[in-house]
Coordinates of all heavy atoms in Angstrom, one line a residue:
Chain E
K134 N -41.2 -0.2 17.5 CA -40.6 1.1 18.1 C -41.4 1.5 19.3 O -40.8 2.0 20.3 CB -40.7 2.2 17.1 CG -39.7 2.0 15.9 CD -39.0 3.3 15.5 CE -37.9 3.0 14.5 NZ -38.5 2.5 13.2
E135 N -42.7 1.2 19.4 CA -43.5 1.6 20.5 C -43.0 0.9 21.9 O -43.4 1.5 22.9 CB -45.0 1.2 20.3 CG -45.7 2.0 19.2 CD -45.4 1.5 17.8 OE1 -44.9 0.4 17.7 OE2 -45.6 2.2 16.9
L136 N -42.3 -0.1 21.7 CA -41.9 -0.9 22.9 C -41.0 0.1 23.8 O -41.0 0.0 24.9 CB -41.2 -2.2 22.5 CG -40.9 -3.1 23.7 CD1 -42.2 -3.6 24.2 CD2 -40.0 -4.3 23.1
A137 N -40.2 0.9 23.0 CA -39.4 1.9 23.8 C -40.2 2.8 24.7 O -39.8 3.1 25.9 CB -38.5 2.7 22.9
F138 N -41.4 3.2 24.2 CA -42.3 4.0 25.0 C -42.9 3.2 26.2 O -43.0 3.8 27.3 CB -43.4 4.6 24.2 CG -42.9 5.4 23.1 CD1 -42.9 5.1 21.7 CD2 -42.3 6.7 23.4 CE1 -42.3 6.0 20.8 CE2 -41.8 7.5 22.3 CZ -41.8 7.1 21.1
V139 N -43.2 2.0 25.9 CA -43.7 1.2 27.0 C -42.7 1.1 28.2 O -43.0 1.3 29.3 CB -44.2 -0.2 26.5 CG1 -44.5 -1.1 27.6 CG2 -45.3 -0.1 25.5
W140 N -41.4 0.8 27.7 CA -40.4 0.8 28.8 C -40.2 2.1 29.5 O -40.2 2.1 30.7 CB -39.0 0.5 28.0 CG -38.7 -1.0 27.9 CD1 -39.4 -1.9 27.2 CD2 -37.7 -1.7 28.7 NE1 -38.9 -3.1 27.3 CE2 -37.9 -3.1 28.2 CE3 -36.8 -1.4 29.6 CZ2 -37.1 -4.1 28.8 CZ3 -35.9 -2.4 30.0 CH2 -36.1 -3.7 29.6
A141 N -40.2 3.2 28.8 CA -40.0 4.5 29.5 C -41.3 4.7 30.4 O -41.0 5.1 31.6 CB -40.1 5.6 28.5
G142 N -42.4 4.3 29.9 CA -43.6 4.5 30.8 C -43.6 3.7 32.1 O -43.8 4.1 33.2
V143 N -43.3 2.4 31.9 CA -43.3 1.4 33.1 C -42.2 1.8 34.1 O -42.4 1.8 35.3 CB -43.1 0.0 32.5 CG1 -42.8 -0.9 33.7 CG2 -44.3 -0.4 31.8
L144 N -41.0 2.1 33.5 CA -39.9 2.6 34.5 C -40.3 3.8 35.2 O -40.0 3.9 36.4 CB -38.6 2.7 33.6 CG -38.1 1.5 33.0 CD1 -36.6 1.7 32.4 CD2 -37.9 0.3 34.0
A145 N -40.9 4.7 34.5 CA -41.3 6.0 35.3 C -42.3 5.6 36.4 O -42.3 6.1 37.5 CB -41.9 6.9 34.2
L146 N -43.3 4.7 36.0 CA -44.3 4.3 37.0 C -43.6 3.6 38.2 O -43.9 3.9 39.3 CB -45.3 3.4 36.2 CG -46.4 2.8 37.1 CD1 -47.3 4.1 37.5 CD2 -47.2 1.8 36.3
I147 N -42.6 2.8 37.9 CA -41.9 2.1 39.0 C -41.2 3.1 39.9 O -41.3 3.0 41.1 CB -41.0 1.1 38.5 CG1 -41.7 -0.1 38.0 CG2 -39.9 0.7 39.4 CD1 -40.9 -1.1 37.1
G148 N -40.6 4.2 39.2 CA -40.0 5.2 40.0 C -40.9 5.9 41.0 O -40.8 6.1 42.1
V149 N -42.2 6.2 40.4 CA -43.2 6.8 41.3 C -43.6 6.0 42.4 O -43.7 6.4 43.5 CB -44.5 7.1 40.3 CG1 -45.6 7.6 41.2 CG2 -44.1 8.4 39.3
L150 N -43.8 4.7 42.1 CA -44.3 3.8 43.1 C -43.2 3.6 44.2 O -43.6 3.6 45.4 CB -44.6 2.4 42.5 CG -45.9 2.1 42.0 CD1 -46.0 0.8 41.2 CD2 -47.0 2.1 43.1
M151 N -42.0 3.6 43.9 CA -41.0 3.3 44.9 C -40.8 4.5 45.7 O -40.7 4.4 47.0 CB -39.6 3.0 44.2 CG -39.6 1.5 43.6 SD -40.0 0.2 44.7 CE -38.6 0.3 45.8
W152 N -40.8 5.7 45.1 CA -40.4 6.9 45.8 C -41.6 7.4 46.6 O -41.6 7.7 47.8 CB -39.9 8.0 45.0 CG -38.4 8.2 45.0 CD1 -37.6 8.5 46.1 CD2 -37.5 8.0 43.9 NE1 -36.3 8.5 45.7 CE2 -36.2 8.2 44.4 CE3 -37.6 7.7 42.6 CZ2 -35.1 8.2 43.6 CZ3 -36.6 7.6 41.7 CH2 -35.2 7.8 42.3
G153 N -42.8 7.4 45.9 CA -43.9 7.9 46.4 C -43.9 9.5 46.5 O -43.1 10.0 45.8
G154 N -44.6 10.0 47.5 CA -44.6 11.4 47.7 C -45.6 12.2 46.8 O -46.0 13.3 47.0
V155 N -46.3 11.4 45.9 CA -47.3 11.9 45.0 C -48.6 11.0 45.2 O -48.4 9.9 45.6 CB -47.0 12.2 43.6 CG1 -46.1 13.4 43.4 CG2 -46.3 10.9 43.0
L156 N -49.7 11.4 44.7 CA -51.0 10.6 44.6 C -51.2 10.1 46.0 O -51.8 8.9 46.1 CB -50.7 9.6 43.6 CG -50.4 10.0 42.2 CD1 -50.1 8.8 41.4 CD2 -51.6 10.8 41.6
G157 N -50.9 10.6 47.1 CA -51.2 10.2 48.4 C -50.4 9.0 48.9 O -50.6 8.4 49.9
L158 N -49.3 8.7 48.1 CA -48.3 7.7 48.5 C -47.3 8.3 49.4 O -46.8 9.3 49.0 CB -47.6 7.1 47.3 CG -48.5 6.3 46.4 CD1 -47.7 5.9 45.1 CD2 -49.1 5.1 47.0
P159 N -47.1 7.8 50.7 CA -46.1 8.4 51.5 C -44.7 8.3 50.9 O -44.4 7.3 50.1 CB -46.1 7.6 52.8 CG -47.3 6.7 52.7 CD -47.7 6.7 51.3
Y160 N -43.9 9.3 51.1 CA -42.5 9.3 50.5 C -41.6 8.3 51.2 O -41.6 8.2 52.4 CB -41.9 10.6 50.6 CG -40.5 10.8 50.2 CD1 -40.1 10.7 49.0 CD2 -39.4 11.0 51.2 CE1 -38.8 10.7 48.6 CE2 -38.1 11.0 50.9 CZ -37.8 10.9 49.5 OH -36.4 11.0 49.2
V161 N -40.9 7.5 50.4 CA -40.0 6.5 51.1 C -38.5 6.8 50.5 O -38.4 6.7 49.3 CB -40.3 5.1 50.7 CG1 -39.4 4.1 51.2 CG2 -41.8 4.7 51.0
P162 N -37.6 7.2 51.4 CA -36.3 7.6 50.9 C -35.7 6.3 50.3 O -35.9 5.2 50.7 CB -35.6 8.1 52.1 CG -36.3 7.5 53.3 CD -37.8 7.4 52.9
Q163 N -34.7 6.6 49.4 CA -34.0 5.5 48.7 C -33.3 4.5 49.6 O -33.1 3.4 49.3 CB -33.1 6.1 47.6 CG -32.5 5.1 46.7 CD -31.2 4.8 47.2 OE1 -30.3 5.7 47.5 NE2 -30.9 3.5 47.4
E164 N -32.8 5.1 50.7 CA -32.0 4.3 51.7 C -32.8 3.1 52.2 O -32.3 2.1 52.7 CB -31.5 5.0 52.9 CG -30.4 6.1 52.6 CD -31.0 7.4 52.0 OE1 -31.9 7.9 52.6 OE2 -30.5 7.9 50.9
R165 N -34.1 3.3 52.2 CA -34.9 2.2 52.8 C -35.4 1.0 51.7 O -36.0 0.1 52.1 CB -36.2 2.7 53.5 CG -35.8 3.7 54.6 CD -36.7 4.0 55.6 NE -37.2 2.7 56.2 CZ -38.2 2.7 57.1 NH1 -38.8 3.8 57.4 NH2 -38.6 1.5 57.6
W166 N -35.0 1.4 50.5 CA -35.4 0.4 49.5 C -34.6 -0.9 49.7 O -33.3 -0.8 50.2 CB -35.2 0.8 48.0 CG -35.9 2.1 47.6 CD1 -36.7 2.8 48.5 CD2 -35.9 2.7 46.4 NE1 -37.2 3.9 47.8 CE2 -36.8 3.9 46.6 CE3 -35.3 2.4 45.2 CZ2 -36.9 4.7 45.5 CZ3 -35.6 3.3 44.2 CH2 -36.3 4.3 44.3
G167 N -35.0 -2.0 49.3 CA -34.1 -3.2 49.3 C -34.8 -4.4 48.8 O -35.9 -4.5 48.4
G168 N -33.9 -5.5 48.7 CA -34.5 -6.8 48.4 C -34.5 -7.0 46.9 O -33.7 -6.4 46.1

Side-chain angles (χ1 to χ4, degrees):
Chain E
K134 291 218 172 67
E135 290 80 16
L136 195 59
F138 298 109
V139 174
W140 270 69
V143 171
L144 293 188
L146 182 62
I147 285 168
V149 170
L150 269 174
M151 289 303 290
W152 261 299
V155 285
L156 304 170
L158 297 171
Y160 172 70
V161 179
Q163 184 267 305
E164 290 81 48
R165 301 201 56 184
W166 302 5

